[in-house]
Amino acid sequence: MATLTSKIVLVTGAAGAIGSAVCAAVTRGGGTAIATDLKAGGAIAYALDVTAEKDWSRVMADIERAHGRLDGLVNAAGIVALGTVEQLDFATWRRVLSINLDGAFLGCKYAMPLLRKQGGAIVNLSSVSGLVGGHNLAAYNASKGGLSLLSKSVALHGARLKPPVRCNAICPAFVEGPMIEQIAQSARNPDLAREKMPQEIPLGRVAKPGEIAALCAYLLSDEAAFITGADVPIDGGLTAR
Ligand SMILES: NC(=O)c1ccc[n+]([C@@H]2O[C@H](COP(=O)([O-])OP(=O)(O)OC[C@H]3O[C@@H](n4cnc5c(N)ncnc54)[C@H](O)[C@@H]3O)[C@@H](O)[C@H]2O)c1
């Protein structure tokens, strides 16, 4: 298990399958997870719409008052919309790009002043869809491909800082949770779609959110001090062929 003793980590999309598992992994590693999502309440400390600049500045000001610094940021908020370039309407395209790409840009931008105080790490939830295309994933592919390259730019900027701020993207394939259920539901035959997902993965199954969270926790930890600017697949071998 990664050691995150005393690290303060902000997680977006923390009500979701992966975001909530990341918060649990940060806490298990000895850190403090600041959970954010569209609505506050329960485990979610702050309402933070990642597309809203004013939300980012409000939450960062609050964290600065409370902790004086930030050690990690995990951009896990995201949506998927299925559709080919011909099927997608412009509003859907913009919504996907806005949440998945603009949201992570704003996160990196607004977290950086607090991360650079003592050095830190950013993990962006990209996807195998940021590495390879799908005929019906035009907007999602574009958003995740953009996020992977944004992560490299942020990493190169962060490497010039003293102390440095690292930034990596991770690229899961199917992960148990509402997002793959939404994908199955939008298929003509949801049962068949559910059955086919694990068959597309060489390891023969979909990932558990905790497996994705463990990689996030490692990349946030000092054990990963020499890893930055990477796109790390966590896909059961999907992109190996
Ligand atoms: N689930 C998968 O199979 C899979 C695979 C590869 C990559 N990913 C990526 O991992 C990330 C997390 O996925 P997940 O499986 O936890 O999805 P999820 O649907 O379980 O959770 C996503 C969370 O993001 C939140 N969110 C949506 N719009 C938001 C906004 N504007 N501001 C703040 N929060 C917002 C939702 O409320 C939700 O809690 C996403 O970026 C997704 O694209 C998921």
Side-chain angles (χ1 to χ4, degrees):
M1 192 173 70
T3 308
L4 295 169
T5 312
S6 307
K7 290 200 188 291
I8 297 157
V9 180
L10 186 147
V11 181
T12 70
I18 295 173
S20 58
V22 170
C23 291
V26 168
T27 308
R28 265 199 317 278
T32 300
I34 302 173
T36 72
D37 207 293
L38 286 171
K39 284 191 190 137
I44 306 300
Y46 291 99
L48 192 167
D49 176 344
V50 295
T51 67
E53 234 178 323
K54 63 172 181 5
D55 283 6
W56 279 108
S57 48
R58 172 179 51 80
V59 171
M60 288 302 160
D62 224 52
I63 293 172
E64 180 159 33
R65 266 193 304 276
H67 303 284
R69 69 174 210 281
L70 190 63
D71 305 302
L73 167 69
V74 179
N75 284 310
I79 60 166
V80 67
L82 298 188
T84 67
V85 66
E86 292 195 85
Q87 291 163 341
L88 281 178
D89 57 58
F90 191 38
T92 306
W93 163 272
R94 291 186 75 158
R95 198 169 124 69
V96 172
L97 269 288
S98 165
I99 294 171
N100 294 3
L101 187 54
D102 298 357
F105 162 75
L106 290 173
C108 294
K109 180 176 174 58
Y110 278 89
M112 197 56 86
L114 289 186
L115 287 169
R116 66 189 291 170
K117 284 192 174 186
Q118 294 189 15
I122 299 171
V123 180
N124 288 326
L125 263 297
S126 181
S127 166
V128 289
S129 300
L131 302 173
V132 294
H135 75 280
N136 63 345
L137 287 169
Y140 193 69
N141 278 153
S143 71
K144 296 301 187 181
L147 180 55
S148 282
L149 260 294
L150 168 68
S151 304
K152 291 185 193 295
S153 175
V154 173
L156 293 174
H157 169 64
R160 298 160 73 116
L161 303 174
K162 290 189 180 26
V165 174
R166 296 180 297 105
C167 179
N168 293 290
I170 69 167
C171 303
F174 300 124
V175 183
E176 282 172 8
M179 192 172 276
I180 62 169
E181 187 48 31
Q182 185 198 332
I183 294 171
Q185 289 294 341
S186 55
R188 236 172 279 136
N189 182 339
D191 287 338
L192 186 65
R194 255 180 240 114
E195 202 181 302
K196 272 180 139 181
M197 280 178 197
Q199 291 167 6
E200 285 179 37
I201 310 283
L203 283 180
R205 64 174 179 87
V206 301
K208 294 188 180 311
E211 293 173 316
I212 312 302
L215 176 59
C216 290
Y218 170 68
L219 290 171
L220 291 168
S221 77
D222 295 339
E223 284 125 63
F226 204 56
I227 305 178
T228 197
D231 253 336
V232 187
I234 172 162
D235 64 358
L238 185 75
T239 52
R241 56 188 177 195

